[in-house]
Every structure is written in C-alpha cells, then in structure tokens.
Amino acid sequence: MAARGVNYTFMREAMHAPPVTYYDYIVIGGGTAGCPLAATLSRRYRVLLLERGGSPYDDDRVLNMAHFSDVLSDTSASSPSQRFVSEDGVINSRPRVLGGGSCLNAGFFTRAGVGYTRAVGWDASEVLSAYRWVEDVVAFQPELGPWQAAVRRGLLETGVVPDNGFTYDHIPGTKVGGSIFDPDGRRHTAADLLQYARPEGIDVLLRARVARILFSYKGTKPVARGVVYRDSLGIVHVAYLNQGDANEIILSAGALGSPQLLMLSGVGPSDHLRSFGLDVVVDNPGVGQGMSDNPMNAIYVPSPSPVEVSLIQVVGITRFGSYIEGASGSDWTTRTASSSGDGARQARVFGMFSPQTGQLPTVPPKQRTPEAIARAVEAMSQVPDAALRGGFILEKVLGPQSTGSLALRNLDPDDNPIVQFNYFAHPDDLRRCVAGIEAIERVIRSRSFSRFAYPNFAFPAMLNVTAEFPANLMRVRGGSDPAALERFCRDTVMTIWHYHGGCQVGRVVDRDYRVLGIDALRVIDGSTFNASPGTNPQATVMMLGRYMGVKIEKERTLIEGGARKL
C-alpha cells in the first residue's frame, strides 16, 4: 500500500475545529502509537486524534534520509523536533509532528523478542498479526553497501553468531533488520498508517496542544470525560466523550508527554502537584517514575576507502546485553552561506553523530553547552574532507537497569518537564557498555573489516579520535583497560532516543493500560514500558497501537453484544 498521507481528507489544523466536539474516543498524541491506535478504532467508532505538531508531509526534511540530521538540528519553535536536555546533561530530542518519533529516528525496524512479549502478557498470535499490519506499510528490506556489509561480516567473524540473515525477529546473533526508509531513501512513518482509517470515523487535528484532561465522578471515583486544548492561535477548544461507559480518552503522548499531561491533569505525586497549585485527582507517586534511556556510545573509525552513506541496517545482538550497530558516510556535508557574509563555507553535518543534533561526545555530558556545540561545529568546518571519511560503530545497552524520574518544570504543557535518566547508575549497564566497546574493537580489528580501517591504528588512539573529534577537549587515559573504558562510557555517553517509562505497567496503568484509580482513561505508548523492546522500540510501539486498538474493539463488541442479548 502506498502512503497517501498528503490526501488525508480528515486531517486539518486545530484552528478550524469547532469550540466544542464529541467523540467515542479521544487519542492524545498522533505519534508512533497514537496513529495506528486511532486508525484501528476509527473502523467502528468516532475518533479524535490530537497532535501538537504539524504534518510530516509538509516537511521534505522529515521524509528524506539525506536530511536526517537537519530535523534534529532544527531548534526552532516550529521544528518537528523539540530539543531537551536531561539533568544528566545529555542532549536529547522529543517529537513534535504527526507520526511522532518515527519521523525523527534512524529508521531501524525490528520486533521485540519472544521473551519480552511473554513477560508483558501480550497474545503472541495477535502481536504477530499487528506487526504484519504495520510492516505492510512502513517496513522495507535494506540493501547493504560495502561498509555495512563489512560490519556484518566483522560481527560474525568475531563470534556474534549465528548469521540470522534478514529478519524482523529479535534473535541472538547478527542480522540485517528492516528499515522505514524505502529503496529511494524516503521515510515511511506511523502517520502513513492512517491510510487504514475510515475517513468518516476520524478527525486528525494538527497543532492541537492539550492542556489537561477533564474529569467527572462516579461516586468517589474519577471518570475521564474530555480534554481542553489550544490551537495555534491560542484559542481554547474542548472535546468531550459521547455518552456511554465504553468510551475512553487514551494518552499516547510519549514517554515525556504522557506522564507530564497526567500530572497537569491532577494525577501524580500529591505533594509535587500541590506545589504547583494543582488539584489532586488521584495521588499516584508512580507517575513520572522508572524513566530510562538506553545509553549509547560510539567509536569513530576513519576509513582509507570510500564509504556509503548509511544509517542503522545491521545489528549484532550479543549474549552479554549489548547491541552493536553502525552508521557511515562522508556525504552528509553541505555548503551554506556564512552568516558573516564572507561567502559560502562548509557547514558539515555527520548524520546521527553531528554536533548540531546535540550528539557531542567530545566533552562530558554536563559540559555540553550551546557554546561547546558551536565550537565543535566550527572545528568540524576546518577538518579536511578526507578526515570525515569513515563511520561510527556503536554499542547500546539492553534494558537498561538504571532508572530516573520525571517532574513538572512549570504548568506549560509545551515546555519540557524535568527528567533525569541516571545513565550507568546500575553497575550492569556499565559492565555491558565496556563489553560492547571491547566487541567493537574486535570488529574493527577483524579481517572482514580491514578494508575500512587503517592498519596498525591502535585502538586506544581510536578512542581518542572519537573523544577529541572534532574538537580536542578530552582524552582517554589508560588505553583500553576496563577502568579507562568505564570512563569512556561515562564521558562519551549519548542518547539513541529510546527513552521510556513514566507511566509503567503496575505503577500507573494495569496490564490493559487503564490508568489505576480512574475510569475511561488509558495510556498506550512507550511510557508504559519497563524496558526497551528488542534493539529498537519503534516497531513495537507501532504494533502496540494496533494491538490495543484491536483488543479494545473486540472487548467492546463482546460487551455490547452481551448487553443486547439481555
């Protein structure tokens, strides 16, 4: 099925919505889970999907792989990407666009493992059906270039076996995964899944910024009844649920947005809410807890041979809890006019590791200031083209075990909340990082990768190239001994945008994702995860939207059928 997003007749700006509307389901957040969820529910019911950002089909940067870093580098108020900095100092991004994180990420598409599915209590056959529903629209088999093929062979040569070929499945060993980039480099996002929607059953409103959820009471128990949102002109609108006990509001605003909106609506730790003058609807100290971001560290490998431009295509799923991947390319460079008016200059970007995106391993996290980014960008402009020929091989940690928390910064739903992930607070995460870096060294030294690595280039020197590039601000002392690698892990940690938690199952929602202590309110997105699924979460988040849409529909049909018989 070809994406027909630009022709969605049911999508419009929120400013064109009536002041008051009524629906069977109101989905807050048109992201990676919200789009498939709303599309599924619209088959039988009237659904409102509220997205705080714009359309991906109006921004060519979102849809073109060659402009991947441009979106993450855009810090304007209208950007599809909203930058935030955790209290750890790591620079990060959250989506602000229909399609959510699938519009910003590096495109890798892979399912959760069988053990993950079993642990969370999902029905395996329904999960498989939901994955395939998603894959029919957005997933493709990538064609490996020489550099990615060398990474794959290097992983196999160094013992990350077996060779699992191309597969969406999460299996120990080395595999080629799927991609949401098609063979022409065009991105396919969760917004494309709205082609499944029944046009008469859904309204998608863009730039609809939800302020809070409205509640009524059934006895002493709160019941979600509506939402207040503002359009791009600041005009207030209210959407209510239609009459009927089965109608619901569903939060799908992501790992930052969902816990933040619960708190702004009076659901969360009572002392924290009262400190902002908020009325407490439900005192739940679990809201905002369990925040995690899978730490990522990378090694820059300068190449004596040309390399292709690539994002993530190959993954080594090790048995020690680290995932090995790579991204390459020296053609991300572009020429832009100098702001000083002295003609064109080289403003280099380096894909997912560009300093413009906030990925700045050249200084420890707490020192990654805007000034440090500017210095790194300037330094990169002075580097010869040959020095940019190469790629990054990265490792990221399973889980992770380290957790932090989220809290309100203020009462503005558009502002970023305060979030801390506590990278490497748990010793297992640090151990896995060190093991991952050691695995990267083995790949780089392998015969399979020799075409793309300089001979006799010592690995400690390579660590320093990574830590210093493009600005000479930090060195790794002690070579590749474990203590030095631990320091390297801590000092060069970056995000790979897999953060999750804040509305976890058992703490904030039950296993059907209903918010504890409240009727007619669920949370369905990555904020409910206790660990990141598989090596990359986007496929599973999309699957979850579809899976829960089908489950809600089936359960409601059974209940309504039984009621009619009575």
Side-chain angles (χ1 to χ4, degrees):
M1 302 173 73
R4 301 190 302 274
V6 73
N7 297 320
Y8 288 157
T9 57
F10 46 77
M11 182 172 70
R12 64 187 189 276
E13 294 286 332
M15 70 173 71
H16 300 305
V20 179
T21 50
Y22 294 84
Y23 293 87
D24 300 323
Y25 290 94
I26 300 170
V27 179
I28 303 171
T32 313
C35 285
L37 174 63
T40 300
L41 292 173
S42 74
R43 298 186 308 178
R44 291 176 181 245
Y45 309 106
R46 282 285 292 149
V47 179
L48 174 63
L49 179 60
L50 297 169
E51 168 52 45
R52 73 191 187 110
S55 167
Y57 308 108
D58 295 336
D59 192 332
D60 288 339
R61 299 172 306 169
V62 170
L63 301 179
N64 188 336
M65 186 180 77
H67 294 285
F68 165 78
S69 62
D70 293 346
V71 176
L72 292 170
S73 301
D74 183 357
T75 57
S76 70
S78 60
S79 172
S81 169
Q82 182 176 351
R83 182 168 293 184
F84 71 95
V85 183
S86 70
E87 298 302 291
D88 315 273
V90 174
I91 298 169
N92 214 316
S93 293
R94 58 189 295 208
R96 183 169 49 199
V97 60
L98 187 71
S102 66
C103 297
L104 308 182
N105 63 32
F108 198 65
F109 189 99
T110 182
R111 300 170 181 169
V114 173
Y116 190 100
T117 299
R118 186 185 305 115
V120 297
W122 295 333
D123 180 277
S125 63
E126 292 291 340
V127 164
L128 181 58
S129 176
Y131 273 126
R132 287 174 173 167
W133 182 90
V134 172
E135 290 157 6
D136 283 346
V137 174
V138 305
F140 302 86
Q141 179 176 350
E143 182 177 343
L144 299 189
W147 191 88
Q148 287 280 347
V151 172
R152 177 173 174 266
R153 292 193 303 271
L155 286 165
L156 293 169
E157 180 186 326
T158 56
V160 187
V161 293
D163 180 357
N164 293 312
F166 168 73
T167 181
Y168 295 131
D169 292 334
H170 183 82
I171 313 167
T174 295
K175 73 168 192 174
V176 178
S179 175
I180 62 172
F181 291 104
D182 67 22
D184 295 324
R186 179 179 173 84
R187 182 190 292 270
H188 295 259
T189 77
D192 292 2
L193 298 173
L194 290 169
Q195 67 185 261
Y196 284 117
R198 180 173 62 94
E200 299 78 17
I202 188 170
D203 288 323
V204 176
L205 298 183
L206 303 175
R207 281 172 269 271
R209 293 171 166 84
V210 174
R212 66 185 185 279
I213 300 166
L214 302 174
F215 299 97
S216 61
Y217 285 84
K218 185 188 296 182
T220 59
K221 190 172 188 180
V223 181
R225 284 303 181 211
V227 302
V228 176
Y229 65 95
R230 293 181 183 272
D231 62 30
S232 58
L233 300 177
I235 297 172
V236 174
H237 303 251
V238 183
Y240 292 106
L241 292 176
N242 286 321
Q243 291 294 320
D245 291 341
N247 298 329
E248 293 179 302
I249 294 169
I250 304 174
L251 258 175
S252 296
L256 267 61
S258 288
Q260 180 186 26
L261 279 171
L262 280 180
M263 290 183 185
L264 290 173
S265 303
V267 181
S270 58
D271 290 346
H272 181 56
L273 301 185
R274 289 192 182 104
S275 72
F276 285 92
L278 293 166
D279 293 331
V280 178
V281 176
V282 170
D283 176 17
N284 185 333
V287 177
Q289 297 302 305
M291 297 297 300
S292 293
D293 187 22
N294 299 74
M296 184 264 285
N297 298 79
I299 304 297
Y300 176 62
V301 189
S303 173
S305 303
V307 302
E308 74 272 13
V309 173
S310 69
L311 290 173
I312 308 301
Q313 296 177 331
V314 172
V315 61
I317 301 173
T318 72
R319 297 185 183 277
F320 49 78
S322 182
Y323 304 134
I324 312 300
E325 300 172 345
S328 65
S330 58
D331 293 334
W332 299 101
T333 59
T334 57
R335 289 192 179 274
T336 60
S338 169
S339 59
S340 62
D342 56 359
R345 64 178 299 168
Q346 195 87 2
R348 289 194 175 91
V349 293
F350 210 57
M352 61 188 291
F353 296 99
S354 299
Q356 293 95 324
T357 69
Q359 300 288 58
L360 193 67
T362 59
V363 292
K366 292 286 189 179
Q367 298 176 31
R368 295 173 192 174
T369 62
E371 294 76 17
I373 292 174
R375 287 194 297 271
V377 171
E378 175 62 26
M380 184 173 268
S381 72
Q382 307 299 322
V383 175
D385 288 346
L388 291 173
R389 188 172 61 199
F392 286 85
I393 303 180
L394 65 91
E395 68 77 34
K396 57 191 180 187
V397 170
L398 170 151
Q401 302 276 21
S402 305
T403 62
S405 61
L406 176 148
L408 294 176
R409 186 181 305 277
N410 51 43
L411 298 180
D412 184 355
D414 291 332
D415 204 355
N416 292 316
I418 299 168
V419 62
Q420 182 155 355
F421 296 115
N422 292 324
Y423 299 99
F424 299 122
H426 196 288
D428 283 354
D429 294 340
L430 194 58
R431 175 182 57 78
R432 286 168 172 159
C433 177
V434 169
I437 298 297
E438 292 171 338
I440 292 173
E441 178 181 7
R442 292 191 291 272
V443 171
I444 295 169
R445 293 183 182 279
S446 70
R447 290 183 62 187
S448 299
F449 197 74
S450 59
R451 175 183 168 189
F452 299 105
Y454 284 96
N456 304 316
F457 194 40
F459 190 69
M462 203 168 292
L463 293 178
N464 281 319
V465 167
T466 302
E468 294 173 359
F469 187 80
N472 185 8
L473 299 174
M474 183 173 67
R475 290 192 64 83
V476 179
R477 291 181 168 82
S480 54
D481 69 85
L485 292 183
E486 287 184 1
R487 288 194 298 273
F488 181 83
C489 287
R490 292 186 187 277
D491 286 345
T492 69
V493 65
M494 294 175 281
T495 185
I496 199 161
W497 310 289
H498 293 176
Y499 52 88
H500 52 276
C503 298
Q504 291 178 316
V505 173
R507 274 179 158 171
V508 179
V509 298
D510 65 18
R511 294 196 114 184
D512 288 319
Y513 303 96
R514 295 185 177 93
V515 176
L516 301 174
I518 301 175
D519 284 344
L521 181 62
R522 301 193 203 220
V523 181
I524 299 174
D525 60 21
S527 71
T528 63
F529 293 167
N530 292 302
S532 188
T535 63
N536 300 68
Q538 73 165 336
T540 302
V541 178
M542 288 191 234
M543 180 282 296
L544 180 62
R546 169 63 176 176
Y547 175 90
M548 285 305 301
V550 170
K551 185 173 184 179
I552 290 168
E553 182 183 81
K554 286 181 176 180
E555 291 176 350
R556 181 165 180 168
T557 299
L558 285 173
I559 292 170
E560 291 175 347
R564 281 194 295 270
K565 290 178 182 179
L566 294 174

